[in-house]
Amino acid sequence: MSNAADSKDSRGWPLYQVFIRSKAGLDHKHVGSLHASDAQHAVTLARDVYTRRQEGVSIWVVPSNAITASDPTQKSENFDPMANKIYRHPTFYDIPEEIGHM
Amino acid sequence: MYTQAIDVAPATENAVRSKSATDAEFEARVARDDRIEPQDEMPEAYRKTLIRQISQHAHSEVVGMLPEGGWITRAPSLKRKEILLAKVQDEGGHGLYLYSAAETLGVNRDELIDALHSGKAKYSSIFNYRTETWADIGTIGWLVDGAAIMNQVPLCRCSYGPYARAMIRVCKEESFHQRQGFDIVRALCEGTPAQRAMAQESVNRWWWPTLMMFGPHDSDSQHSGQAMNWGIKRISNDDLRQKFVDVTVPQAQYLGLTLPDSDLKWNAERGHYDFGKINWDEFWRVVNGDGPCNAERMHDRVKAFEDGRWVREAATAHAAKQADRVQAMQRKAA
């Protein structure tokens, strides 16, 4: 185990986030991540790690550092204002019974 | 799959800390059954506890491939060989799901693997026992994976999102592991007297180490309370162990096998099986490195890692060559 800490091999392979489409007609969904030497390698590894039981028909991999995310500390500023905009939902409106389904 | 309440954190990690306002907020969130996601604020001790638990869990999956891997070439039929290959591949996959979950806490995968290889990190004590006969492959699936499922189902509701999601995927696959093990033991029990004896001998060796997988008694488990408050742990070690004994005894009876515990009997008053005393000296000895084959397991794990080095180097070289080619073509086009 002496040279387990050497940095000449896989160490430093970038992290890829993996997305799987479970069947045609559905969105790709995030399932996890893995390290690979490049994107094509990541697809090959994702097949073995995340689709051993026909979980998917298509795989996307995205370098983790290419993802830009919203700021979690801004969660309330970002998303709370929508809580009182109930008029954006169809259930806000009364439809007379005579009209039936709309 | 195999998790274990090993509970071997450095003492400092669990030292009494004064609670900040953020910690109180955090505990309130967990109490509301909110899930915590990687970017959320969390107490440092929560993060450290999770890194320790998830990485120990990942290591256990990876080391767990070793006791069974040796039997792939010796499986008694092509069917059993295919099944065992698939199972061992699953264990490797489970390790990868879990390392992936641990990394969301800001730890580097290489550090985790180095900690395993240097002997610094713990893994489930059960993998330091030898797989001496083919029956052991059945017993591991039936009892060891059965115990692991007991532990892991509640983890699907763990407060930390990435861990819970990894556990959901693991649990879906784990049921196959237990059933294929039961199927092996059942085939032996319905076979010749020699095969039945092989199954019985195997169960005699694995029963107690399996019960140890649930970890120390609640009264001796210093981290359990905190892990419960944080929503990492949902059911106590002793409750899980009792549940496992209660479901397993009738299965053993069906198979016509005895479990090696003279104190094992139904307690109508409690509505549970009573069982004998666990040898905790043995448990701690094995966890702390002095089991039947701790050194051998680590030697094999490190050797597998080293033997794979040229493959990783080749992949890295190939990726660099491909990147160079793309760059050259782009220069040409420009």
Side-chain angles (χ1 to χ4, degrees):
Chain A
M1 66 181 71
S2 53
N3 48 3
D6 275 3
S7 54
K8 280 202 208 87
D9 58 356
S10 74
R11 275 105 203 280
W13 279 0
L15 187 66
Y16 290 86
Q17 298 297 325
V18 181
F19 300 80
I20 306 269
R21 184 202 295 286
S22 59
K23 63 177 188 183
L26 296 178
D27 293 321
H28 284 78
K29 200 176 150 204
H30 182 247
V31 294
S33 66
L34 46 76
H35 289 269
S37 58
D38 65 11
Q40 205 50 53
H41 188 209
V43 170
T44 309
L45 295 180
R47 174 194 169 268
D48 289 344
V49 177
Y50 291 105
T51 65
R52 289 193 302 280
R53 286 172 176 78
Q54 296 184 294
E55 287 91 339
V57 294
S58 166
I59 298 170
W60 285 353
V61 296
V62 180
S64 289
N65 59 17
I67 293 177
T68 307
S70 61
D71 181 350
T73 63
Q74 301 282 308
K75 197 157 39 181
S76 48
E77 290 91 324
N78 275 336
F79 306 112
D80 287 357
M82 298 308 145
N84 59 7
K85 293 177 175 52
I86 50 173
Y87 47 82
R88 293 184 180 219
H89 297 278
T91 45
F92 179 73
Y93 303 94
D94 283 331
I95 300 297
E97 222 166 89
E98 295 89 315
I99 298 294
H101 177 73
M102 181 182 276
Chain B
M1 142 76 59
Y2 314 89
T3 173
Q4 176 171 50
I6 308 180
D7 264 347
V8 280
T12 50
E13 188 178 308
N14 240 47
V16 181
R17 315 155 45 247
S18 59
K19 279 186 184 165
S20 67
T22 332
D23 285 8
E25 236 169 72
F26 176 84
E27 286 186 11
R29 255 191 93 178
V30 169
R32 281 199 307 271
D33 230 7
D34 260 10
R35 290 296 190 271
I36 309 302
E37 293 296 340
Q39 304 299 323
D40 293 344
E41 275 187 51
M42 59 184 91
E44 189 54 18
Y46 175 83
R47 201 179 68 86
K48 279 192 172 151
T49 300
L50 277 171
I51 290 173
R52 190 188 72 241
Q53 180 171 334
I54 300 172
S55 62
Q56 281 177 354
H57 196 158
H59 300 328
S60 300
E61 299 288 353
V62 170
V63 177
M65 291 192 281
L66 296 171
E68 293 176 298
W71 280 93
I72 291 173
T73 55
R74 293 180 284 164
S77 69
L78 182 58
K79 180 184 100 172
R80 296 290 186 198
K81 190 196 291 260
E82 283 182 324
I83 292 170
L84 186 56
L85 259 175
K87 184 194 188 263
V88 172
Q89 190 193 20
D90 273 357
E91 306 299 2
H94 295 177
L96 292 174
Y97 304 158
L98 288 159
Y99 284 128
S100 160
E103 275 186 307
T104 64
L105 292 157
V107 68
N108 179 304
R109 188 175 309 210
D110 294 341
E111 287 168 35
L112 299 178
I113 291 171
D114 288 345
L116 173 68
H117 291 181
S118 69
K120 210 178 111 207
K122 307 284 183 198
Y123 56 89
S124 183
S125 58
I126 197 81
F127 302 115
N128 292 315
Y129 292 87
R130 287 182 198 288
T131 42
E132 292 170 11
T133 68
W134 169 250
D136 289 356
I137 300 305
T139 311
I140 286 180
W142 171 39
L143 296 182
V144 174
D145 289 315
I149 291 172
M150 284 287 170
N151 254 328
Q152 285 165 344
V153 167
L155 286 173
C156 296
R157 294 183 292 119
C158 164
S159 59
Y160 189 59
Y163 193 24
R165 290 192 288 275
M167 291 319 302
I168 289 169
R169 208 167 311 121
V170 164
C171 284
K172 275 186 193 162
E173 301 181 354
E174 205 64 36
S175 185
F176 143 59
H177 297 180
Q178 190 185 16
R179 286 180 178 215
Q180 66 84 37
F182 183 82
D183 194 64
I184 291 172
V185 179
R186 187 181 167 193
L188 293 172
C189 289
E190 291 171 358
T192 64
Q195 286 173 318
R196 219 170 18 250
M198 187 198 275
Q200 182 63 63
E201 188 275 335
S202 173
V203 167
N204 291 348
R205 273 185 291 112
W206 288 91
W207 176 249
W208 288 106
T210 302
L211 292 190
M212 293 176 200
M213 285 175 66
F214 294 94
H217 285 307
D218 297 344
S219 50
D220 302 325
S221 181
Q222 42 169 340
H223 306 299
S224 277
Q226 183 61 276
M228 290 264 194
N229 288 341
W230 278 335
I232 297 174
K233 198 171 172 57
R234 300 285 186 180
I235 306 178
S236 81
N237 294 354
D238 284 328
D239 287 351
L240 286 169
R241 186 165 19 238
Q242 181 70 62
K243 210 171 150 197
F244 174 76
V245 171
D246 288 347
V247 302
T248 307
V249 171
Q251 294 168 3
Q253 282 166 349
Y254 173 89
L255 293 168
L257 294 171
T258 57
L259 298 171
D261 178 0
S262 54
D263 294 325
L264 186 69
K265 59 174 180 294
W266 180 250
N267 182 329
E269 204 177 302
R270 289 203 309 130
H272 292 290
Y273 282 93
D274 289 336
F275 53 96
K277 280 200 169 53
I278 290 169
N279 181 348
W280 292 111
D281 290 343
E282 175 182 331
F283 171 77
W284 288 113
R285 216 168 47 236
V286 178
V287 166
N288 290 322
D290 197 19
C293 53
N294 296 51
E296 188 182 319
R297 294 284 184 250
M298 260 324 96
H299 169 269
D300 291 351
R301 173 84 279 277
V302 172
K303 182 173 186 297
F305 184 79
E306 291 306 326
D307 288 352
R309 181 180 293 274
W310 71 271
V311 179
R312 296 190 296 274
E313 284 172 353
T316 306
H318 179 72
K321 199 167 79 181
Q322 293 297 111
D324 284 349
R325 254 182 221 166
V326 171
Q327 270 186 359
M329 268 160 67
Q330 281 167 345
R331 268 200 305 276
K332 224 167 149 187

